[in-house]
Amino acid sequence: MATRRANQTPAGDFGGQQHVFTPPPARQPLAARMRPRNIDEVVGHEQLIGERGTLRRALEGGRLGSLLLWGPPGSGKTSLARVLADSAGARLVTISAVMSGVAEVRALVAEAREKLILNGQQTILFIDEIHRFNKAQQDALLPHVEDGTVTLVGATTENPYFEVNSALLSRVRVFRLEPLTDEQVATVVRRAIDDPERGLAGDLGPAGGLRLTDEPFEHLVGLSAGDARQALNVLEGAASIAEADGVRDDDGFVSPRLEDVEAAAQQRALAYDRAGDGHYDTVSAFIKSIRGNDPDAALYWLASMIAAGEDPRFIARRLIILASEDVGLADPRALDVAVAAAQALDWVGLPEAQYALAQATVMLAVTTKSNAIGRGYFAAMADVLANGSLPVPAHLRSSGLGRRKYRYPHDFTGDDVDQQYLPDKLAGRRYYFPGDLGAEVKIGERMARIAESRQGRPQRKTPIPGAPKTDPMAAGSEGMRRRRESLKDLADEQRRDAGD
């Protein structure tokens, strides 16, 4: 990089934020210099800080309460805490749960109480990696968060419902920060390239400025996997490599190549385009390998997608779809395993969730297959499209005299009785034909037994001596009716009390 100005003054406090020491801009990494200075510079998280975002409205109403920011690395937790303090006009004190203990927390709380008494100044205590605090350390925060001495803003990459004790959780609101999209990371990168004050377009960047062509730019954004900090670190490294090698375009701009981005990231560019044919071709190979009972190929394509930065939630969704489309009731466990893998991804994230995704992939690849569910469903859909909404048979309706002819299956032997369930026009039509593998064999056998038993006259069950004779449907309906009346009476009483 070009020689940076040595006479830069240290970055000052923003919005009353306190820091023990802040290096001058020339010594700060690009990611630190490019932190947003106000809420309008924050990229992403529209549901929290957009025009109608929860946190923005809380700030506008002067009601910023204690909260936990839960999100992956590089999603903007620390930056958001800074701009929240700035927007609230509060004093920000930052500590790391890795390096701080109860004694330091108590000292900071005492200082916050003094500032509040003497100056009426609110203190926001930002604790990074708050999940690293043990129970005793978390408990030390409770009274001061509850009485408002400090407004706690905690940041964690771990699920707070597992890592933060329930007493503290009950005193804060948890906000989930999603990884930035590729478009949002691209915005952050472009801003860093073009910013003449803090970015790479001025004295803090390479002499002559920096320009990134499409291929290395897209690779840099893609490999960041939603982590803005990583993207800026790789950008800064690639710029240094290109400048040292004298790589410039025709206009004299330092122009990092794809290999410079790869070297800075220590990661090769994979032949995979998440927005183009590579994406669709690879996921197609993944699905067809599972459908074709090849666990080895399926694992290879799974690894290819993960290594190339594919959104793991997309992979989990495809596994859930496949569990019903290609396995179905041949192995009813398949859907459970696929959904469990998606939940594991949500709870633990990458890299650990790779185990769950691989487990689901192999299970789906090696288990018994059937597409009978899909064939049956779409045959029914074809009839709906061809015939429209046909009338419900009178005995199946929820009201009217015809419903008295409905026969309750549990009153008959085998908990089954022959009666028409399809519309009159489609009476006797079949859609679901179970396959001859896996659990569908037993399903087919049961359906055959039901069909055979329906050939004779239906037999009502013999009442069990001493068993209650209550109609469960009638009792359930009456119970809910009385519940609604009780809730209405309670609401009326509360309104009267409020009027007093």
Side-chain angles (χ1 to χ4, degrees):
M1 301 288 285
T3 302
R4 293 175 171 176
R5 292 181 293 179
N7 61 348
Q8 293 279 353
T9 57
D13 294 338
F14 294 99
Q17 299 172 17
Q18 279 200 350
H19 306 281
V20 176
F21 172 71
T22 301
R27 298 298 180 187
Q28 293 179 29
L30 177 62
R33 298 200 309 271
M34 291 305 299
R35 287 192 186 278
R37 293 165 293 190
N38 55 62
I39 198 168
D40 293 321
E41 287 189 0
V42 177
V43 176
H45 316 306
E46 288 295 315
Q47 77 281 12
L48 299 181
I49 58 172
E51 185 176 348
R52 298 295 298 166
T54 306
L55 291 179
R56 182 181 285 270
R57 284 187 287 171
L59 287 170
E60 292 171 350
R63 298 185 304 274
L64 182 65
S66 292
L67 54 97
L68 288 182
L69 301 174
W70 169 28
S75 57
K77 298 182 293 295
T78 304
S79 296
L80 189 53
R82 285 170 170 262
V83 299
L84 288 176
D86 182 53
S87 299
R91 167 177 168 267
L92 177 66
V93 178
T94 63
I95 61 173
S96 169
V98 177
M99 303 175 63
S100 303
V102 173
E104 183 174 358
V105 169
R106 287 174 176 163
L108 292 173
V109 167
E111 186 179 355
R113 183 180 294 110
E114 182 180 357
K115 295 283 187 183
L116 186 62
I117 294 172
L118 295 180
N119 307 321
Q121 186 178 28
Q122 177 189 11
T123 296
I124 291 180
L125 175 59
F126 176 68
I127 303 180
D128 198 14
E129 304 290 338
I130 193 171
H131 61 275
R132 299 293 188 95
F133 268 178
N134 60 35
K135 185 178 185 301
Q137 291 169 317
Q138 292 181 29
D139 286 346
L141 296 166
L142 295 178
H144 315 298
V145 172
E146 187 165 18
D147 66 16
T149 301
V150 295
T151 299
L152 173 66
V153 177
T156 177
T157 56
E158 305 296 327
N159 189 331
Y161 297 103
F162 295 131
E163 304 294 340
V164 178
N165 69 49
S166 57
L168 185 55
L169 280 177
S170 71
R171 291 162 171 82
V172 301
R173 296 181 67 186
V174 177
F175 293 97
R176 180 82 177 264
L177 272 63
E178 299 294 339
L180 299 182
T181 65
D182 283 357
E183 292 76 13
Q184 290 164 346
V185 173
T187 297
V188 172
V189 172
R190 290 191 188 96
R191 185 181 293 173
I193 293 174
D194 297 336
D195 192 317
E197 179 185 352
R198 299 175 296 154
L200 300 178
D203 293 333
L204 297 175
L210 180 117
R211 182 178 289 164
L212 207 56
T213 57
D214 289 345
E215 186 178 16
F217 182 90
E218 290 171 2
H219 180 54
L220 185 153
V221 169
L223 64 82
S224 70
D227 187 333
R229 185 188 301 112
Q230 178 179 343
L232 293 179
N233 288 341
V234 172
L235 173 64
E236 188 171 31
S240 296
I241 294 170
E243 185 179 24
D245 290 348
V247 181
R248 295 180 179 270
D249 63 14
D250 294 340
D251 297 322
F253 287 87
V254 171
S255 183
R257 302 156 296 187
L258 178 62
E259 53 263 40
D260 299 327
V261 173
E262 291 175 351
Q266 291 295 294
Q267 178 176 331
R268 284 191 60 207
L270 301 177
Y272 185 89
D273 175 9
R274 282 193 286 164
D277 291 341
H279 163 82
Y280 295 107
D281 289 346
T282 305
V283 74
S284 176
F286 175 63
I287 295 301
K288 289 172 181 174
S289 298
I290 297 176
R291 182 183 296 138
N293 306 293
D294 191 331
D296 304 303
L299 285 174
Y300 173 81
W301 295 120
L302 172 65
S304 295
M305 290 189 288
I306 293 293
E310 180 61 79
D311 184 350
R313 293 170 298 182
F314 169 77
I315 299 172
R317 289 194 295 270
R318 295 303 310 178
L319 290 171
I320 291 172
I321 295 167
L322 185 142
S324 290
E325 179 182 359
D326 292 301
V327 178
L329 290 177
D331 188 346
R333 302 169 301 165
L335 185 58
D336 293 339
V337 171
V339 170
Q343 291 174 334
L345 174 64
D346 187 42
W347 289 347
V348 304
L350 294 181
E352 291 84 355
Q354 291 176 94
Y355 290 108
L357 293 173
Q359 178 180 341
T361 295
V362 171
M363 189 273 184
L364 294 175
V366 301
T367 195
T368 309
K369 307 292 193 300
S370 170
N371 67 347
I373 292 293
R375 285 189 287 107
Y377 172 74
F378 287 107
M381 177 63 74
D383 274 348
V384 170
L385 297 177
N387 299 290
S389 297
L390 297 173
V392 175
H395 64 285
L396 299 182
R397 297 175 188 173
S398 61
S399 61
L401 295 177
R403 70 190 184 110
R404 295 178 181 177
K405 296 182 180 180
Y406 171 68
R407 293 189 286 184
Y408 189 55
H410 296 297
D411 289 341
F412 296 84
T413 56
D415 292 273
D416 177 71
V417 63
D418 187 19
Q419 60 187 327
Q420 179 183 322
Y421 292 102
L422 279 168
D424 293 340
K425 187 175 181 179
L426 299 176
R429 184 70 59 91
R430 284 191 62 189
Y431 299 113
Y432 176 58
F433 291 83
D436 57 1
L437 295 174
E440 285 195 322
V441 173
K442 292 186 176 180
I443 293 172
E445 292 172 352
R446 182 176 187 275
M447 291 178 66
R449 288 195 301 271
I450 290 174
E452 183 179 357
S453 69
R454 289 180 178 179
Q455 299 304 312
R457 292 189 60 181
Q459 300 291 323
R460 288 188 174 270
K461 289 181 179 177
T462 302
I464 300 173
K469 297 181 180 180
T470 306
D471 181 344
M473 299 294 290
S477 297
E478 177 62 17
M480 292 307 298
R481 186 189 67 80
R482 294 191 184 185
R483 170 183 167 81
R484 289 191 295 270
E485 289 182 353
S486 296
L487 291 174
K488 180 179 181 300
D489 291 343
L490 179 60
D492 291 341
E493 183 179 349
Q494 289 174 338
R495 282 193 292 269
R496 288 194 298 270
D497 291 343
D500 295 339

